[in-house]
Amino acid sequence: EYFERTTFSPSGKKLITESYLTSELIPPVPENAVQPFTLPLAVRAIDFTPGKKYNIYLWFGPKVVFAMDLIVKGEEEVTVPAGTFKCHRVDVMPNVVDLLGPIIGRFAKSFVPKVTVWFGVEPPHRLVKYTGPFGMMNIDSSQRETFELKKIIQ
């Protein structure tokens, strides 16, 4: 597969264009890899049994793939501008133990900000709320962003 990715400034100016073949990617992209912005869509299809754990890979670009741990925490009631919903809570965090090794990874895990995502219990398990670090690669836990369901359009 051949891909081309172009990045634009907010004003529309072309900043960079990258092209690559997936067969040339280092490391190879695992089969269960998703791009960061498609993660909420991919997670909607999991089994939401509390305590269930999943491993998924986030593919940021040709040479950046992160292993992520997804843990189903249980059900919670969440209020957002669109209303109050019974939701499945899923915590997502980088698998730093695999990345840094068992000793350093366990220590570093407490410093890595997690993402929490709430999906409606009722199908289609729509994304109700997301909270996580501001920006994809930000490890500063004081900078957070939240997405909330504002309105359901039928």
Side-chain angles (χ1 to χ4, degrees), residues 4-91:
E4 185 173 279
R5 179 171 74 177
T6 304
T7 305
F8 296 91
S9 72
S11 66
K13 180 182 175 190
K14 186 177 183 178
L15 299 174
I16 188 171
T17 297
E18 301 173 289
S19 58
Y20 45 90
L21 294 169
T22 56
S23 59
E24 296 175 352
L25 298 179
I26 300 169
V29 177
E31 286 185 19
N32 62 340
V34 297
Q35 290 197 327
F37 294 108
T38 64
L39 182 64
L41 232 100
V43 174
R44 285 178 16 168
I46 67 171
D47 172 4
F48 287 105
T49 301
K52 192 113 175 162
K53 295 180 183 181
Y54 296 92
N55 299 100
I56 195 165
Y57 294 88
L58 289 185
W59 180 46
F60 288 92
K63 298 185 180 186
V64 183
V65 177
F66 283 115
M68 304 295 285
D69 294 329
L70 280 68
I71 303 168
V72 180
K73 300 303 275 186
E75 291 184 5
E76 296 180 1
E77 196 170 88
V78 177
T79 301
V80 294
T84 299
F85 300 87
K86 191 171 188 180
C87 294
H88 299 292
R89 175 182 167 167
V90 179
D91 287 350

